[in-house]
């Protein structure tokens, strides 16, 4: 028989291989022979967690032996999902180098140990017999500095290592120092080299793997949590969040000389107290910013929601993959493998924007749809599976752009059906971290469907969401105008309406009644 006939006679099968590394070659051989593969690109670790619905916390059953660096080592245990409350021990650090970054000058550390003691010290590399300031330790070589730093990290036993631009600068430079000093840089809980992945793309950032610990960069945490800043430098963010900035001597380092790096070097040579205080301040400010904004707590909360490790919660496509595939498997279905060479299949539309009526307007109402895109997804059953099922069905839901969806309950709306009440409960309980984690996750669902690198990429589905949004915004504008009110502006999910009332309280009360009528 022909290859097509043979394929039509074979039912879909799950194929397990002896070791994970055997999967990609088998996938490639099958695809080369014209067979379609499903989820053959999913990494083994993610597949293992998906199949067991493990996100964030895990319950382990099995025989344990004492570990070397870690407390316990389990050999082939049984793993089950579990709720886990994480209070990670966090160590912030910062390094100082010369302008050419070919000489290490100092390593500063800041954090609280398990017993509540404060570690606030700096290692200074200096061959001269100068008197060291308080909370400073002098070593004579870069190698000695690395050795002492590793000792501090091990004795502190950090769960999380952090800093400002800590991956792309501090850890990257330490790896270079270790290479030229021929030092085995061991920062993990167990032996194993630190691995650093260089940033990808213009807005990308690096990723660091330290065995047994998590590396979280302060700048990345800010951006991935959608905390908007005009300037993401440590000094600027510290001024805005903490009300203080970096200091070198008696004045702000940025104000003293145009060349800040030269000023730091000059301070290292002539004013060690100012230099060491500056280094320690960098480490302290990084940790205090993250604590004030609760960004590390947010990363762990997002991890428990998405199944991603805390250092990968910003990976919205991978997070969506984990959640959607897990739900799909419960329906005994599998998704296609990712097509790595796929490019954008068509234009994507955004939200509607009305021409503003320029001027100063008193007592303006702002009517805002609650979670517009997630609500549209739930209302119209917008979902990759429901879209695929609609091809064999007649009585379907059709959106404004002509995209069709089955009336059978979709996977994505069901996920949102669980998340909406979770967020409401979190808000009612005053749990801002959980509420923000859920909001970020829900708002990411639309974006991933319009990304070519996503397994479920489909511009028709993404445009169905934005198209319904534009339709609803225009419909709302028409409704208010039909009631005799002037719409001043509109953007994506909000309209600005002139109340026509001079008394603010009267305008507010009328606005509330209009909300009820409109809904």
């Amino acid at each position: 028989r022909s290859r097509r006939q043979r394929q039509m006679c074979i039912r879909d099968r799950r194929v397990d291989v002896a070791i994970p590394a055997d999967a990609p070659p088998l996938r490639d051989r099958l695809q080369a022979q014209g067979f379609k593969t499903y989820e053959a690109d999913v990494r083994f670790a993610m597949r293992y967690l998906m199949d067991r619905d493990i996100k964030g916390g895990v319950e382990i059953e099995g025989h344990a032996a004492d570990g070397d660096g870690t407390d316990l080592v389990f050999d082939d245990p049984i793993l089950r999902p579990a709720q886990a409350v994480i209070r990670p021990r966090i160590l912030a650090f910062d390094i100082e180098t010369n302008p050419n970054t070919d000489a290490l000058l100092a390593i500063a550390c800041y954090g609280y140990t398990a017993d509540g003691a404060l570690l606030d010290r700096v290692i200074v590399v200096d061959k001269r017999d100068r008197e060291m300031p308080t909370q400073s330790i002098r070593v004579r070589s870069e190698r000695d500095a690395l050795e002492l730093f590793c000792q501090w990290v091990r004795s502190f036993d950090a769960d999380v290592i952090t800093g400002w631009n800590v991956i792309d600068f501090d850890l990257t430079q330490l790896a270079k120092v270790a290479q030229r000093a021929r030092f085995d840089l061991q920062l993990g809980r167990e032996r194993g080299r630190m691995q650093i992945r260089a940033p990808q793309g213009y807005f990308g950032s690096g990723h660091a793997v330290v065995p047994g610990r998590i590396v979280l960069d302060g700048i990345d945490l800010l951006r991935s949590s959608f905390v908007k800043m005009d300037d993401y430098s440590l000094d600027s963010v510290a001024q805005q969040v903490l009300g203080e900035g970096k200091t070198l001597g008696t004045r702000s380092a940025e104000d003293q000389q145009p060349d800040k790096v030269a000023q730091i070097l000059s301070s290292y040579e002539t004013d060690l107290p100012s230099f060491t205080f500056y280094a320690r301040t960098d480490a302290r400010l990084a940790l205090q910013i993250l604590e004030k904004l609760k960004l590390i707590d947010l990363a762990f909360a997002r991890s428990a929601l998405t199944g991603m490790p805390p250092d990968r919660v910003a990976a919205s496509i991978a997070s969506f993959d984990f959640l959607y595939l897990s739900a799909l498997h419960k329906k005994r279905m599998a998704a296609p493998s990712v097509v790595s060479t796929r490019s954008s299949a068509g234009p994507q539309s955004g939200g509607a924007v009305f021409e503003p009526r320029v001027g100063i307007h008193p007592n303006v109402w702002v009517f805002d749809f609650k979670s517009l895109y997630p609500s549209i997804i739930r209302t119209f059953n917008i979902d990759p599976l429901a879209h695929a099922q609609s091809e064999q069905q007649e009585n379907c839901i059709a959106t404004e752009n002509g995209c069709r969806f089955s009336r059978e309950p979709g996977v994505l709306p069901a996920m949102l059906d669980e998340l909406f009440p979770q967020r409401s409960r979190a808000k009612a309980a005053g749990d801002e971290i959980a509420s923000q984690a859920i909001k970020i996750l829900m708002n990411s669902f639309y974006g991933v469907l319009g990304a070519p690198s996503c397994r479920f990429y489909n511009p028709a589905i993404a445009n169905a969401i934005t198209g319904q949004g534009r339709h609803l915004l225009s419909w709302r504008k028409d409704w208010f105008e039909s009631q005799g009110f002037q719409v001043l502006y509109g953007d994506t999910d909000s309209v600005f309406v002139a109340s026509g009332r001079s008394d603010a309280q009267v305008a507010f009360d009328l606005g509330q009644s209009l909300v009820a009528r409109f809904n």
Side-chain angles (χ1 to χ4, degrees):
R1 290 179 292 183
S2 70
R3 177 180 298 171
R4 177 170 176 78
Q5 289 174 320
R6 290 199 306 272
Q7 284 184 263
M8 292 173 64
C9 294
I10 298 174
R11 296 182 61 191
D12 291 339
R13 300 291 186 186
R14 171 175 171 141
V15 180
D16 292 324
V17 293
I19 57 175
D22 290 340
L26 176 60
R27 172 198 64 202
D28 295 342
R29 291 198 301 273
L30 287 170
Q31 290 178 346
Q33 295 181 45
F35 290 97
K36 188 174 183 179
T37 62
Y38 295 83
E39 302 179 19
D41 57 294
V42 177
R43 292 172 49 240
F44 170 75
M46 289 295 104
R47 165 67 64 208
Y48 188 92
L49 297 175
M50 283 178 196
D51 290 347
R52 290 155 182 80
D53 200 26
I54 295 173
K55 299 193 291 285
V58 62
E59 179 183 291
I60 305 174
E61 179 184 336
H63 175 72
D66 291 337
D68 180 13
T70 54
D71 294 332
L72 299 172
V73 175
F74 291 86
D75 186 8
D76 197 22
I78 297 171
L79 302 184
R80 288 183 286 266
Q83 294 292 324
V85 178
I86 308 297
R87 294 287 180 266
R89 190 156 50 253
I90 307 164
L91 178 66
F93 85 97
D94 177 80
I95 72 168
E96 303 296 342
T97 69
N98 69 349
N100 296 327
T101 69
D102 56 6
L104 177 66
L105 305 181
I107 307 175
C109 293
Y110 186 89
Y112 289 91
T113 62
D115 58 4
L118 174 64
L119 173 63
D120 181 11
R121 305 183 76 181
V122 58
I123 304 166
V124 179
V125 182
D126 187 14
K127 295 181 180 179
R128 292 163 289 184
D129 292 325
R130 294 191 287 173
E131 182 179 353
M132 285 291 112
T134 58
Q135 297 168 268
S136 306
I137 296 177
R138 177 173 58 83
V139 296
R140 293 190 176 277
S141 69
E142 292 180 331
R143 184 184 180 91
D144 292 340
L146 293 178
E147 186 172 359
L148 182 55
F149 177 59
C150 288
Q151 289 177 13
W152 284 3
V153 172
R154 283 194 297 270
S155 62
F156 188 92
D157 196 23
D159 301 305
V160 173
I161 297 175
T162 190
W164 215 254
N165 200 27
V166 69
I167 298 172
D168 294 342
F169 181 74
D170 300 84
L171 286 176
T172 298
Q173 292 302 321
L174 284 187
K176 294 178 180 178
V177 174
Q179 185 175 20
R180 65 175 176 254
R182 297 183 179 180
F183 179 80
D184 187 13
L185 186 64
Q186 295 288 332
L187 296 175
R189 281 195 167 107
E190 59 184 19
R191 292 194 65 80
R193 285 187 177 277
M194 174 178 66
Q195 299 176 17
I196 296 179
R197 186 193 67 201
Q200 304 293 318
Y202 183 79
F203 293 105
S205 57
H207 180 254
V209 176
V210 174
R213 310 191 198 279
I214 295 171
V215 181
L216 297 176
D217 187 278
I219 299 177
D220 290 344
L221 287 174
L222 270 181
R223 287 175 170 155
S224 68
S225 302
F226 302 98
V227 179
K228 298 291 181 62
M229 295 284 173
D230 294 331
D231 181 356
Y232 285 91
S233 68
L234 178 58
D235 185 66
S236 177
V237 174
Q239 291 280 8
Q240 191 165 338
V241 175
L242 303 174
E244 68 166 301
K246 297 160 54 170
T247 56
L248 189 56
T250 58
R251 292 179 294 166
S252 166
E254 281 77 357
D255 293 340
Q256 291 193 12
Q257 284 190 12
D259 188 348
K260 184 177 67 174
V261 177
Q263 174 68 21
I264 294 171
L265 182 61
S266 174
S267 181
Y268 167 77
E269 296 290 347
T270 62
D271 187 1
L272 272 180
S274 293
F275 171 78
T276 56
F277 181 78
Y278 178 86
R280 288 169 40 228
T281 299
D282 275 11
R284 174 178 61 84
L285 292 178
L287 182 54
Q288 289 181 343
I289 289 168
L290 301 182
E291 289 178 333
K292 179 73 175 292
L293 299 178
K294 300 181 180 179
L295 294 182
I296 290 179
D297 291 342
L298 180 59
F300 276 82
R302 293 173 68 183
S303 174
L305 270 177
T306 64
M308 293 290 102
D311 59 346
R312 292 200 66 223
V313 292
S316 55
I317 292 176
S319 299
F320 185 84
D321 231 23
F322 190 105
L323 294 173
Y324 198 96
L325 292 181
S326 297
L328 204 59
H329 296 165
K330 293 175 182 177
K331 293 178 174 286
R332 300 188 62 80
M333 295 183 182
S337 300
V338 170
V339 179
S340 59
T341 57
R342 180 169 56 195
S343 58
S344 178
Q348 295 181 42
S349 57
V353 178
F354 299 149
E355 187 72 24
R357 293 183 179 271
V358 180
I360 303 298
H361 306 278
N363 297 331
V364 174
W365 291 314
V366 181
F367 295 99
D368 182 274
F369 274 122
K370 181 180 179 181
S371 302
L372 178 62
Y373 286 173
S375 296
I376 287 173
I377 291 170
R378 294 174 78 195
T379 303
F380 298 94
N381 204 38
I382 295 177
D383 175 61
L385 176 60
H387 180 59
Q389 290 173 329
S390 70
E391 295 177 1
Q392 288 82 37
Q393 299 175 1
E394 293 184 2
N395 183 27
C396 295
I397 299 169
T399 55
E400 290 296 309
N401 70 334
C403 200
R404 289 161 47 86
F405 300 93
S406 167
R407 293 184 181 273
E408 294 294 322
V411 174
L412 186 52
M415 289 163 57
L416 288 167
D417 286 344
E418 293 182 5
L419 291 171
F420 265 91
Q422 283 184 38
R423 186 170 185 230
S424 295
R425 289 193 295 270
K427 292 177 73 173
D431 190 343
E432 297 179 4
I433 298 299
S435 174
Q436 179 69 358
I438 296 169
K439 178 182 179 180
I440 291 172
L441 177 62
M442 290 196 304
N443 288 340
S444 72
F445 288 166
Y446 153 70
V448 298
L449 295 173
S453 54
C454 177
R455 183 186 314 277
F456 303 101
Y457 167 67
N458 189 322
I461 297 178
N463 287 336
I465 299 171
T466 54
Q468 289 303 118
R470 291 195 305 278
H471 169 73
L472 289 171
L473 197 72
S474 296
W475 176 53
R476 179 167 41 172
K477 177 177 182 291
D478 294 342
W479 187 88
F480 280 109
E481 290 176 343
S482 73
Q483 304 299 309
F485 297 103
Q486 185 182 57
V487 175
L488 303 172
Y489 180 61
D491 187 350
T492 307
D493 61 354
S494 303
V495 289
F496 295 67
V497 182
S499 69
R501 303 297 185 271
S502 58
D503 185 277
Q505 187 60 50
V506 171
F508 182 81
D509 293 341
L510 178 58
Q512 294 287 62
S513 67
L514 287 171
V515 167
R517 286 168 56 192
F518 180 82
N519 283 338

